């Protein structure tokens, strides 16, 4: 299931930049989309090697990671359980998880904070269970994301990605370092106060000046938006014919566009924007984006 498939690299039309490319990880799979596929690849390999047949993970009620884990488990013939943050709710994302066989345990926010304790309480004695942190955050996930770098042109001057937990960004930076590239990694946190991403990345790899955080493009926080962002997204989709989402990828492309307008890049520099996928993630959020 996690075969070595390389997602396409496609050129974008841009009035400022002649060398703007998009890495289409969104095309990898509709359910185990983009970076979630890369993050789960080595996690599932590790679980399988350890003969574990039950994946236990964590996420909010709109989590792309939960849908990805439920889908990956179903396709691999594994059981899956998720601790879902907050009181019991229902939405399309969670319905998908349930239909694909994932058991959902709604967990109040206080209890949820200590994920290891939740795991131990329910599954500590179960030899078949395998712990996967929220968003898949792990050394295995970092390794999977680092691999992406081997699929990029070595003369990529700038690589852009959106960040939630920062695990994907950590993998990309690690991959850049392993390959000895000069590529600068531009990270756009979609949460408010995105400086924490630097610390998160530091858990997995050395922070160098190749890492550039752009913390001003969160539009109010996670899954928050402004008319300016939605207008930008509509124009982007109309112009490029590529679908993006308002939670992650629209914020990244907005940042890139904004920087380009300020002549941040050299016109001939090769820029790659990573499309991390996650188009389903808006399901259940209709009140936020109408
Ligand atoms: C989960 C997700 C991210 C964030 O990945 P992190 O590794 O948590 O930073 C970015 N883009 C999309 C589309 C996602 O679903």
């Amino acid at each position: 299931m996690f075969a070595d498939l390389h997602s396409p690299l496609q050129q974008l039309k841009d009035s400022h930049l002649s060398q703007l490319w998009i890495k289409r990880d969104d095309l990898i799979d509709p359910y185990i989309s983009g970076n979630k596929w890369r993050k789960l690849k080595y996690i599932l390999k590790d679980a399988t090697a350890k003969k574990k047949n039950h994946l236990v993970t964590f996420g909010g009620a709109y989590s792309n990671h939960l849908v990805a884990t439920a889908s990956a488990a179903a396709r691999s013939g594994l059981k899956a359980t998720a601790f879902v943050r907050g009181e019991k709710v229902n939405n399309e994302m969670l319905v998908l998880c349930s239909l694909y066989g994932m058991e959902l345990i709604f967990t109040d926010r206080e209890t949820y904070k200590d994920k290891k304790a939740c795991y131990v309480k329910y599954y500590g004695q179960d030899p078949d269970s395998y712990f996967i942190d929220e968003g898949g955050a792990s050394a295995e996930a970092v390794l999977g994301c680092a691999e992406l770098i081997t699929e990029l042109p070595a003369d990529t001057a700038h690589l852009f990605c959106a960040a939630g937990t920062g695990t994907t960004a950590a993998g990309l930076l690690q991959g850049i370092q392993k390959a000895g590239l000069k590529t600068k990694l531009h990270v756009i946190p979609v949460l408010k106060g995105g400086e924490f991403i630097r610390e998160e990345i530091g858990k997995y790899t050395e922070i160098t000046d190749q890492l550039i955080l752009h913390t001003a493009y969160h539009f109010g926080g996670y899954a928050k938006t402004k008319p300016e962002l939605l207008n930008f997204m509509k124009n982007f989709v109309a112009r490029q014919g590529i679908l993006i989402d308002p939670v992650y990828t629209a914020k990244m492309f907005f940042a890139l566009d904004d920087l380009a307008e300020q002549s941040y890049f050299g016109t001939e520099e090769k820029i790659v924007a990573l499309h991390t996928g996650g188009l389903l993630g808006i399901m259940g959020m209709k009140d936020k984006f109408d």
Side-chain angles (χ1 to χ4, degrees):
M1 185 181 79
F2 288 89
D4 284 329
L5 35 92
H6 288 200
S7 68
L9 189 64
Q10 180 183 342
Q11 193 155 20
L12 285 178
K13 304 170 202 133
D14 190 276
S15 43
H16 307 278
L17 307 163
S18 62
Q19 288 294 326
L20 178 58
W21 299 77
I22 178 168
K23 176 72 172 158
R24 298 292 307 272
D25 270 15
D26 57 309
L27 298 179
I28 290 178
D29 190 278
Y31 295 96
I32 315 172
S33 176
N35 65 338
K36 302 303 183 285
W37 187 93
R38 296 198 185 264
K39 289 168 91 170
L40 283 170
K41 179 178 178 183
Y42 288 105
I43 292 176
L44 261 81
K45 277 204 174 142
D46 188 50
T48 311
K50 290 176 174 153
K51 303 214 173 353
K52 307 285 189 182
N53 64 16
H54 179 206
L55 308 178
V56 179
T57 194
F58 299 81
Y62 304 101
S63 166
N64 285 327
H65 165 69
L66 292 191
V67 174
T69 306
S71 307
R75 287 194 193 143
S76 311
L78 304 174
K79 271 181 21 172
T81 299
F83 290 88
V84 186
R85 185 180 59 239
E87 63 278 15
K88 189 169 193 306
V89 290
N90 207 0
N91 64 40
E92 291 82 349
M93 300 290 272
L94 295 176
V95 168
L96 260 184
C97 290
S98 293
L99 288 173
Y100 293 161
M102 181 177 253
E103 191 191 333
L104 304 176
I105 303 175
F106 291 92
T107 308
D108 68 82
R109 282 159 200 274
E110 208 39 50
T111 311
Y112 182 91
K113 275 184 193 156
D114 192 345
K115 299 180 185 68
K116 272 282 178 197
C118 292
Y119 179 83
V120 167
K121 183 172 164 207
Y122 281 77
Y123 303 109
Q125 303 301 319
D126 177 12
D128 294 331
S129 289
Y130 184 89
F131 174 89
I132 305 174
D133 209 338
E134 186 173 56
S138 60
E140 288 78 17
V142 169
L143 184 64
C145 294
E147 247 177 27
L148 184 149
I149 299 301
T150 64
E151 301 173 23
L152 296 182
D155 64 346
T156 303
H158 305 277
L159 173 61
F160 274 75
C161 80
T165 63
T167 311
T168 301
L172 297 175
L173 187 63
Q174 193 185 76
I176 288 169
Q177 291 165 347
K178 274 190 202 162
L181 301 181
K182 295 201 169 65
T183 311
K184 293 214 158 69
L185 177 66
H186 297 264
V187 179
I188 290 71
V190 302
L191 290 87
K192 220 192 275 186
E195 270 301 323
F196 77 90
I197 297 280
R198 194 179 295 277
E199 201 180 315
E200 199 52 38
I201 295 175
K203 290 181 189 165
Y204 298 103
T205 197
E206 192 198 339
I207 305 287
T208 58
D209 59 7
Q210 277 171 291
L211 172 67
I212 300 163
L213 281 186
H214 300 278
T215 55
Y217 296 101
H218 56 74
F219 290 89
Y222 183 77
K224 297 274 167 52
T225 185
K226 302 224 159 92
E228 197 186 3
L229 179 68
L230 297 186
N231 284 334
F232 170 83
M233 177 171 160
K234 286 177 191 170
N235 286 332
F236 180 95
V237 170
R239 181 173 156 78
Q240 305 290 356
I242 294 174
L243 311 182
I244 56 175
D245 81 293
V247 180
Y248 289 103
T249 45
K251 291 181 183 179
M252 173 193 66
F253 279 111
F254 187 100
L256 209 170
D257 188 65
D258 195 43
L259 293 166
E261 253 179 42
Q262 299 165 40
S263 305
Y264 185 93
F265 312 104
T267 42
E268 295 301 317
E269 284 187 313
K270 190 168 285 167
I271 304 167
V272 177
L274 173 59
H275 194 321
T276 38
L279 299 178
L280 286 179
I282 193 174
M283 291 199 303
M285 289 187 177
K286 66 176 165 34
D287 299 337
K288 291 182 195 276
F289 296 106
D290 61 4

